[in-house]
Amino acid sequence: MELDSRAAVPRVLAVDPKRPDPNVIAEAASVLAAGGLVAFPTETVYGLGARGLHPEEVARIFAAKGRPKAHPLILHVADAAMAAKLSRAWSERAEQLARRFWPGPLTLVVPRAAHVPDAVTGGLDSVGVRSPAHPVASALIVAAGEPLAAPSANAHTHVSPTTAAHVVRSLGDAVDLVLDGGPCAHGIESTVVDVTGPVTRVLRPGAVSLEELRSVDPDVTYGGIVVAETDDAARASPGLAAKHYAPRTDVVLASDARAVAAALAEVEASSPLAAITWSAAAKEAVTALGRPVRLIALPAEPTAYAAALFAALHDVDAAGVARLVIEAVPDDTAWWAVRDRLARAARR
């Protein structure tokens, strides 16, 4: 689904990210109450929200994004008490993880309560729940008085939005209202863990690290990058599509500085190019090519890199380059979420 060429734009309201104006929040809540879609900032990325217990309103999210209906949505809640009502078996493990990481960028996949709609879960017997830390998101949930279904506010498989401008560019007037609270702090989605079985399993790496999870539950397991090859298949977590978080251009993930230079050099000289690097060696290799390349140098520290990554991918998309070459990041758990996103962005 390609929405970037839309001429029409949604209504955008600026909101203080730390002290949101109650009148702005009330207006957004009224849009939700009328069955509308509201894009709002969280500490991870911007979400596309609808009232999560109303199937016909949830269906508008899928239509706006062009998202397969079997892909589950996360229900955003005010607190653990609201989350527990969405689960038929809120476990002690879920309570411990929520107590440690909520509000924050951790999604818990729990057994689904009977009243949670199939439209949210993709027909599965589990549901993902999260209590966001962003003051705007928290205030909106409280004002709505119920859980909000809210995947990232972008067209399906495209780059997640970390600013209101990204939302407008991707979805246009498919959104009724965008709350502009400035850039998102983490810039990468929540970590998703499944607590429905005897052992806590990471389904999607994200802003909460593996080490942080194991400080609460030492038995947490992580099997590496999980890919659902069939795009319309149901899966327990969002973000598992083979191609995801992807700009429109050709993306090559290069193993080192030499490979970065080689991937750029093989494209004809007249083609506009871009490179995302983090090491001094790769920056030097790009410069040494002696041809115009849109070079985006991101921090060599994983948290700062993650916060800047999606904005860099949006920048490349706006530039309309023929190829983007991305320097691979280190192979250790500190970079797990970034490595996951880059692997999916480069899938062809």
Side-chain angles (χ1 to χ4, degrees), residues 41-139:
T42 76
E43 73 277 24
T44 57
V45 299
Y46 273 71
L48 179 62
R51 296 190 300 173
L53 301 182
H54 302 260
E56 68 284 359
E57 295 171 25
V58 171
R60 289 199 60 202
I61 294 176
F62 289 90
K65 285 176 61 72
R67 181 185 179 103
K69 292 183 179 179
H71 290 210
L73 304 178
I74 294 169
L75 289 178
H76 291 66
V77 297
D79 50 30
M82 183 180 283
K85 293 177 182 178
L86 301 171
S87 174
R88 70 173 183 276
W90 184 255
S91 66
E92 180 58 29
R93 268 184 301 138
E95 183 64 29
Q96 289 176 346
L97 289 165
R99 190 180 303 125
R100 168 64 179 82
F101 296 108
W102 283 4
L106 180 69
T107 294
L108 300 174
V109 175
V110 297
R112 158 195 174 186
H115 67 283
V116 175
D118 284 346
V120 169
T121 68
L124 297 176
D125 200 32
S126 60
V127 62
V129 290
R130 178 168 97 83
S131 176
H134 198 290
V136 172
S138 299

Side-chain angles (χ1 to χ4, degrees), residues 164-215:
H166 296 160
V167 177
V168 172
R169 182 168 176 265
S170 185
L171 294 181
D173 63 358
V175 188
D176 298 299
L177 177 65
V178 178
L179 296 181
D180 184 355
C184 300
H186 288 293
I188 204 162
E189 295 84 357
S190 64
T191 301
V192 180
V193 298
D194 182 352
V195 293
T196 61
V199 177
T200 303
R201 295 186 303 123
V202 174
L203 300 179
R204 179 182 73 183
V208 173
S209 72
L210 188 60
E211 289 74 19
E212 289 174 308
L213 290 171
R214 286 177 174 165
S215 72

Side-chain angles (χ1 to χ4, degrees), residues 274-297:
I276 294 177
T277 66
W278 59 270
S279 73
K283 295 174 203 171
E284 292 169 3
V286 172
T287 303
L289 282 174
R291 59 181 293 187
V293 177
R294 190 181 190 89
L295 175 60
I296 302 174

